[in-house]
Amino acid sequence: MSEADACRIDVWLWRARFFKTRSLAARFIETGRVRLTRGAAETRIDKPARTLKPGDSLVFALSGRLVAVRVEQLGERRGPAEEARALYAHLQDSSPPDEQTAD
């Protein structure tokens, strides 16, 4: 697996602006609260060095809300917010249950 095909999960979470620093992302991952889905296999991530590829899905709780995203790109740097949002696509509505409308 080449460096261009994969990225460390802590680096990606920092580039995608889910965490302010890479060390905060690494500490969060070490708690085991991040789930990775690749293909049909779902695993709990507890090491910041685990790699991500485009097409992988991540689920984790952040600031009291569930975040479910699909990795679209790996990115080359921590850029502006617009660039960071291009790295992922939301998989579901991640707003709190009391803000969702009932059909």
Side-chain angles (χ1 to χ4, degrees), residues 63-66 93-101:
S63 299
R65 70 177 212 271
L66 189 64
D93 182 16
S94 55
S95 60
D98 58 341
E99 293 179 8
Q100 294 177 354
T101 58

Side-chain angles (χ1 to χ4, degrees), residues 16-57:
R17 294 185 166 261
F18 287 107
F19 294 92
K20 196 169 190 168
T21 66
R22 185 174 162 193
S23 62
L24 285 174
R27 278 186 285 204
F28 183 81
I29 293 162
E30 288 171 346
T31 64
R33 295 186 285 174
V34 178
R35 293 194 180 268
L36 167 71
T37 304
R38 181 177 291 157
E42 182 178 305
T43 57
R44 180 175 288 171
I45 303 297
D46 60 355
K47 295 183 181 177
R50 288 286 306 265
T51 58
L52 287 179
K53 297 179 181 180
D56 289 349
S57 298

